Amino acid sequence: MRVLTTGGAGYIGSHTVLALVEAGHEPVILDNFANSSPEAVRRVSELAGREIELIEADLLDAPAVDRIVADGNFDAVIHFAGLKAVGESAAQPLRYYRSNILSTLNLLDAMQKHGVRNVVFSSSATVYGEAGTVQYTEELPLNAMNPYGRTKMHIEQILDDLAASEPGWHIGKLRYFNPVGAHPSGRIGEDPRGIPNNLMPFVSQVAVGRREHLNVFGDDYPTPDGTGVRDYIHVVDLAGGHVAALEALGDVRGSRAWNLGSGQGSSVLEVVRAFERAAGRPIPYVVAPRRDGDLPEFFADPTLARLELHWKTERGLDDMARDAWNWQSKNPFGYGTGEEDPEA
Ligand code: NAD
Ligand code: WQD
């Protein structure tokens, strides 16, 4: 399939583009590099052994999106592009609603107009919010707790409404749990700008000496060691989940949500220990107050993806830590040199 991958230069997109090529598909990247670098595309091309087609464009530019979809001869779209920082979304809600929702509307308009009816969307476990249970199944009501999460929830609803409005749509909504790790080559990985919001990239930067210590946000949660528990998923497993979803779309009438997670929770301190083993050095940390809006514990019920996508995770926490460390130690400043961002 010829697949338009919006946000394909980003963290999850770049790994998925490689997985698509490996599965015999033909991805085309659309990205505006708002949170990524052309170097990622160059490296994916190098790993794939062929030039990946790249279109530099902003999804907020509706006429450009219309032209790209009209001319692209695409069989399907995987829609990664969007903004994803929870804290920033609370400070700049309009920017988040505009970026995530308006860009999706532009894309869907163009797809509808030009007869592309297959789409896989990057949703998030964050759409469940406080669910009253720790293991999330897809039937739980959506209850996102911050503007970022609400953009994902609203886009899911828009996709459902679109699917219900006319026959012929095949829509997969992938609810990712906590993606971490990197390609085992150490050539592509996660390269956050500024101070990382997420645990594993922060730990990686402590290990490589860019930050002094980790702040563990709370050690008095009702969990086995008191720290937050999440379902970490290796980004290469996650990339494979996209290929599986794309290939299963033909069986979807309308829209369908799948959790992509391992079904296993790990605590903050378990992540720290795994990273210490991988890097062979201590990760200094201090216990800090809880972070606003954090839940104590949640993880996926991945049964539906196993049954319907014939997909499950294969890599564990030690693999995630090993590959994250391999990437970070070979690229201490990600795709850059450390000169670009004084805050980093
Ligand atoms: P990322 O920031 O690395 O990738 C997103 C890409 O989209 C970037 O390359 C960025 O430049 C591009 N982009 C943003 N706005 C754009 C626009 N208007 N036009 C064109 N390109 C644009 O993020 P990621 O971690 O790879 O996440 C990919 C998707 O998965 C996002 O939608 C994110 O919300 C979702 N998601 C991520 C996580 C996570 O923890 N990483 C978890 C759940 C869901
Ligand atoms: C994991 C655990 C923290 C940083 C977020 C988004 C979610 C999704 C994935 C996009 C928690 C603790 C973290 C640190 C810490 N993204 N922690 N010190 O919060 O589960 O999910 O990313 O869709 O929407 O909310 O992931 O990696 O930020 O935190 O102690 O410096 O690590 O409290 O328990 P989270 P995370």
Side-chain angles (χ1 to χ4, degrees):
M1 281 189 252
R2 189 169 151 81
V3 188
L4 180 66
T5 52
T6 75
Y11 170 47
I12 303 167
S14 56
H15 289 81
T16 303
V17 164
L18 184 59
L20 286 167
V21 174
E22 287 169 353
H25 299 292
E26 190 187 336
V28 175
I29 295 176
L30 181 161
D31 209 297
N32 67 351
F33 300 115
N35 193 40
S36 55
S37 146
E39 176 62 12
V41 180
R42 211 188 57 71
R43 294 195 189 182
V44 173
S45 295
E46 168 199 295
L47 289 169
R50 69 175 179 75
E51 197 72 20
I52 307 293
E53 214 177 309
L54 166 67
I55 303 168
E56 186 169 349
D58 189 329
L59 284 178
L60 288 173
D61 181 350
V65 174
D66 185 75
R67 260 194 322 276
I68 290 161
V69 176
D71 297 344
N73 206 17
F74 299 116
D75 301 298
V77 175
I78 304 184
H79 180 33
F80 295 103
L83 305 179
K84 63 165 184 177
V86 171
E88 191 180 64
S89 80
Q92 304 172 16
L94 297 183
R95 178 166 165 243
Y96 268 68
Y97 284 113
R98 185 177 310 104
S99 288
N100 290 1
I101 296 186
L102 207 50
S103 62
T104 303
L105 292 177
N106 290 342
L107 181 66
L108 294 172
D109 266 336
M111 290 176 66
Q112 186 178 48
K113 190 163 153 201
H114 303 293
V116 183
R117 294 283 193 277
N118 298 308
V119 57
V120 171
F121 171 61
S122 297
S123 189
S124 167
T126 198
V127 296
Y128 295 114
E130 202 148 17
T133 173
V134 291
Q135 186 162 28
Y136 294 170
T137 54
E138 289 83 353
E139 314 84 73
L140 285 169
L142 304 191
N143 181 29
M145 298 182 339
N146 54 66
Y148 163 71
R150 280 190 278 275
T151 69
K152 294 293 178 190
M153 187 174 80
H154 293 318
I155 293 168
E156 284 208 14
Q157 292 162 335
I158 290 167
L159 291 168
D160 293 347
D161 288 340
L162 179 61
S165 72
E166 56 179 5
W169 285 92
H170 306 273
I171 300 175
K173 300 170 291 182
L174 301 184
R175 297 179 181 154
Y176 316 155
F177 281 68
N178 288 60
V180 297
H183 190 264
S185 63
R187 294 295 289 157
I188 55 173
E190 186 168 13
D191 181 19
R193 295 193 176 164
I195 299 166
N197 298 304
N198 297 113
L199 177 63
M200 184 78 88
F202 202 105
V203 169
S204 307
Q205 293 193 5
V206 173
V208 83
R210 279 173 69 178
R211 319 229 164 245
E212 248 172 46
H213 65 265
L214 170 73
N215 290 303
V216 173
F217 297 144
D219 70 347
D220 56 354
Y221 283 111
T223 60
D225 66 16
T227 65
V229 168
R230 296 291 183 272
D231 185 339
Y232 296 93
I233 171 172
H234 195 296
V235 68
V236 174
D237 279 335
L238 185 60
H242 288 76
V243 177
L246 184 73
E247 293 175 352
L249 277 187
D251 297 328
V252 174
R253 297 278 160 269
S255 78
R256 189 97 175 128
W258 293 290
N259 286 340
L260 297 186
S262 71
Q264 286 247 327
S266 305
S267 74
V268 174
L269 292 180
E270 284 172 330
V271 170
V272 169
R273 301 293 173 232
F275 215 94
E276 288 180 331
R277 284 193 294 278
R281 55 181 77 176
I283 308 291
Y285 67 82
V286 300
V287 176
R290 292 180 178 191
R291 185 172 65 181
D292 260 5
D294 271 352
L295 292 168
E297 174 174 15
F298 60 86
F299 48 90
D301 181 336
T303 310
L304 202 63
R306 186 161 46 74
L307 294 178
E308 296 184 354
L309 305 181
H310 312 291
W311 170 92
K312 62 178 177 51
T313 60
E314 282 164 9
R315 294 159 182 83
L317 195 56
D318 283 317
D319 303 309
M320 302 178 209
R322 181 199 61 222
D323 292 335
W325 174 240
N326 184 41
W327 153 253
Q328 187 73 66
S329 53
K330 288 181 173 155
N331 307 270
F333 294 98
Y335 294 111
T337 59
E339 304 288 305
E340 302 84 357
D341 182 356
E343 249 201 273

